[in-house]
Amino acid sequence: MSAIDTYVESNKDRFLSELLDLLRIPSVSADPKYKADVARCAEAVKQRLVEAGADKVEVCPTAGHPIVYGEKIVDPAKPTVLVYGHYDVQPPDPLDLWHSGPFDPVIKDGMIYARGSADDKGQFYMHVKAFEAMMKNGGLPCNVKFMIEGEEEVGSDNLGVFVKNNKARLKADVVLISDTAMIANDVPSINTGLRGLSYLEVEVTGPNRDLHSGVYGGAVANPINVLCDMISSLHDKDRRITIPGFYDAVKELSAAERTALAEAPFDLEAYKKDLGVNDVLGEKGYTSEERSSIRPTLDVNGIWGGYIGEGAKTVLPSKAFAKISMRLVPDQKSEAITKLFKDHFERIAPPSVKVEVRPHHGGEAAVTPIDSPAYLAAAKAMEETFGRKPIPTRGGGSIPIVALFETELGLKTVLFGFGLDSDNIHSPNEKYGVFNYLIGIRTIPRFFQHYAAMMGGKA
Ligand code: BES
Ligand code: MN
Ligand code: MN
């Protein structure tokens, strides 16, 4: 046991109760009614960084929700780690499916249940506590800067502006982020890629008002029927996306790269059982793991229109809507794909309806190296605490700012996530393991040690 391990063990109850306090703040970035709570959460994060020993801690306002910044420069000649995380969370809906309140955290069977427990409060707060542990046990082996934002779940547009305007302040050698998942608690892994995203909303309008479906049905376009036709035409029988040009920029992985990915353990039967499905479905010629990481996808996230209240109402609605997202891979560009979608969707609309496509947010894919000092330091740290070398895996989710760290700051990222796919992020009953939280707090200081040692004096 290192001094830090002992410190974490003897302070774990406080570390947990501090996290629960953060989880009680409903910092939902997507919904304006939580604006004051989001601001309150930023202040709380600032306070925690100050208490842990950070300098120049500041709540930086943006056109949207604020960014919390803080740093500890022990020696300018030493390397600097930029820790990024997000204190905002996804909306908690549907509320009736939660077993306990999304913002009334409870610990049950070794799991912390609350919105944001894994994504990302429980994960970024490991860094605050790891920082405290280092400060209380001999100090930091290198410099650290914290940037914890409040708009990751809505696309990080204002953080992009902040990064562009604060290049000197954010100068660092590597970015460290805990906001991804591992394969299992006894199979540690490190994500080496994130997908990009293009998210938009479509509105299909038929007649200028709702109509009696007996009087007009069959003779006038029903926008919901038409929208369903249009959406289903976006995939062919092999579940490939039919938008012309969609795959043009997609780089096929080499056979060797695919073989390496297939080495990560994956149990298809357990996967199906866990999700309650009899079979999986996806692009022909690819495995489930490939479909959810290295291949681009298109999904309807929500669809509505017409009558959805109690009982039956015979109506031919005037409008239908859907929210559609595409997950992108290197080197598909989010804006270009959004335009391809918009042009295609407008083109395939029959003349009997009008179509409007409204882009929401986007972000670019990113891949991270597995031979950099930072990756090797992270792998070594995990190997020490888990007793097993982590496996590199490609993740399927998106963290839009990661690509900008590279293009704007010239920085590579290590995705040092300690969650699990089964944590129910964005879902009811989100949870994060007490085990994961505490082992994360113990592993992060080891990363700092190994990284500082590998980098020597300076990059
Ligand atoms: N932490 C997730 C991303 C993630 C989850 C990456 C699991 C890898 C594995 C992040 O908070 C997130 O949810 N991002 C959004 C993107 C955003 C633009 C809404 C996503 O992926 O949907
Ligand atoms: Mn996240
Ligand atoms: Mn998320």
Side-chain angles (χ1 to χ4, degrees):
M1 283 259 275
S2 69
I4 291 207
D5 289 339
T6 311
Y7 184 82
V8 174
E9 179 59 29
S10 48
N11 287 279
K12 64 180 182 198
D13 291 342
R14 176 172 58 83
F15 287 179
L16 278 166
S17 77
E18 288 177 11
L19 173 58
L20 298 199
D21 285 343
L22 271 187
L23 292 170
R24 283 190 189 96
I25 307 176
S27 48
V28 180
S29 51
D31 186 343
K33 85 169 184 252
Y34 294 100
K35 194 172 166 53
D37 295 304
V38 178
R40 187 155 59 87
C41 195
E43 289 298 333
V45 173
K46 172 187 166 178
Q47 197 52 40
R48 302 304 175 72
L49 278 171
V50 170
E51 286 159 11
D55 299 326
K56 298 188 180 164
V57 189
E58 204 187 309
V59 172
C60 311
T62 74
H65 300 300
I67 296 157
V68 186
Y69 179 84
E71 61 181 42
K72 185 79 201 176
I73 308 299
V74 290
D75 176 354
K78 289 189 171 159
T80 301
V81 178
L82 175 59
V83 172
Y84 162 82
H86 63 96
Y87 67 82
D88 66 319
V89 301
Q90 287 272 328
D93 317 75
L95 284 175
D96 49 328
L97 296 183
W98 284 80
H99 302 314
S100 51
F103 302 109
D104 297 316
V106 292
I107 299 179
K108 212 178 115 196
D109 304 327
M111 290 290 171
I112 308 157
Y113 285 90
R115 170 59 85 234
S117 56
D119 185 13
D120 179 42
K121 286 173 177 169
Q123 294 219 58
F124 91 72
Y125 202 61
M126 298 182 313
H127 287 268
V128 181
K129 293 299 97 179
F131 171 62
E132 174 194 315
M134 287 188 276
M135 293 291 285
K136 287 276 162 67
N137 290 277
L140 299 183
C142 59
N143 307 310
V144 64
K145 296 179 173 177
F146 291 95
M147 183 169 68
I148 314 296
E149 72 151 319
E151 296 194 314
E152 195 277 339
E153 300 291 9
V154 292
S156 301
D157 283 349
N158 292 305
L159 183 69
V161 176
F162 183 84
V163 167
K164 287 179 187 159
N165 290 338
N166 286 272
K167 289 190 181 177
R169 171 146 58 154
L170 299 175
K171 203 170 160 350
D173 295 282
V174 70
V175 180
L176 188 63
I177 304 177
S178 296
D179 193 23
T180 50
M182 313 179 293
I183 295 173
N185 282 349
D186 56 356
V187 190
S189 62
I190 296 179
N191 263 202
T192 59
L194 294 161
R195 286 194 286 188
L197 186 70
S198 160
Y199 199 118
L200 31 86
E201 191 166 319
V202 301
E203 176 177 333
V204 178
T205 308
N208 60 9
R209 59 189 187 277
D210 286 6
L211 303 173
H212 187 290
S213 66
V215 177
Y216 290 97
V220 177
N222 178 324
I224 302 182
N225 293 12
V226 171
L227 177 58
C228 290
D229 289 347
M230 290 171 74
I231 287 171
S232 71
S233 80
L234 296 175
H235 287 97
D236 68 13
K237 63 171 189 348
D238 294 332
R239 303 303 298 174
R240 278 178 70 86
I241 293 152
T242 56
I243 300 169
F246 183 82
Y247 291 98
D248 283 2
V250 174
K251 271 209 290 284
E252 290 292 331
L253 263 65
S254 67
E257 284 173 300
R258 289 180 72 182
T259 307
L261 281 183
E263 272 162 26
F266 179 75
D267 181 342
L268 184 60
E269 288 313 310
Y271 183 81
K272 292 195 284 195
K273 188 159 180 266
D274 173 52
L275 299 176
V277 294
N278 292 324
D279 204 355
V280 292
L281 180 70
E283 188 184 358
K284 193 174 170 188
Y286 295 92
T287 64
S288 295
E289 300 139 281
E290 289 173 335
R291 290 166 178 170
S292 59
S293 62
I294 59 158
R295 297 300 294 168
T297 56
L298 183 152
D299 277 289
V300 179
N301 298 254
I303 181 164
W304 70 101
Y307 183 69
I308 52 167
E310 283 293 316
K313 177 189 181 192
T314 49
V315 62
L316 192 164
S318 166
K319 283 182 186 292
F321 302 84
K323 290 183 193 278
I324 297 176
S325 68
M326 290 164 282
R327 294 282 168 178
L328 311 177
V329 299
D331 299 301
Q332 287 178 303
K333 292 280 165 273
S334 169
E335 252 179 58
I337 295 291
T338 299
K339 182 162 189 322
L340 285 182
F341 179 97
K342 186 170 163 33
D343 292 349
H344 178 69
F345 212 69
E346 286 167 359
R347 200 167 44 234
I348 62 174
S352 49
V353 298
K354 292 186 214 65
V355 162
E356 212 187 300
V357 178
R358 288 187 288 265
H360 274 287
H361 50 244
E364 311 302 341
V367 281
T368 64
I370 58 168
D371 53 2
S372 65
Y375 182 89
L376 297 173
K380 194 168 170 189
M382 271 191 148
E383 186 175 358
E384 286 169 3
T385 50
F386 286 85
R388 186 168 169 176
K389 227 188 177 77
I391 301 170
T393 54
R394 283 278 285 268
S398 309
I399 305 177
I401 203 65
V402 172
L404 277 190
F405 284 143
E406 179 146 14
T407 54
E408 296 299 325
L409 303 177
L411 294 180
K412 295 282 185 189
T413 292
V414 174
L415 295 165
F416 212 23
F418 293 84
L420 297 176
D421 282 345
S422 55
D423 285 338
N424 295 331
I425 65 172
H426 297 203
S427 210
N429 306 307
E430 178 175 348
K431 59 185 193 284
Y432 190 45
V434 173
F435 168 84
N436 303 70
Y437 180 59
L438 295 176
I439 202 167
I441 299 173
R442 289 175 43 227
T443 307
I444 291 162
R446 293 176 185 270
F447 166 84
F448 274 78
Q449 253 168 32
H450 297 315
Y451 182 64
M454 283 181 197
M455 296 288 285
K458 179 69 194 184

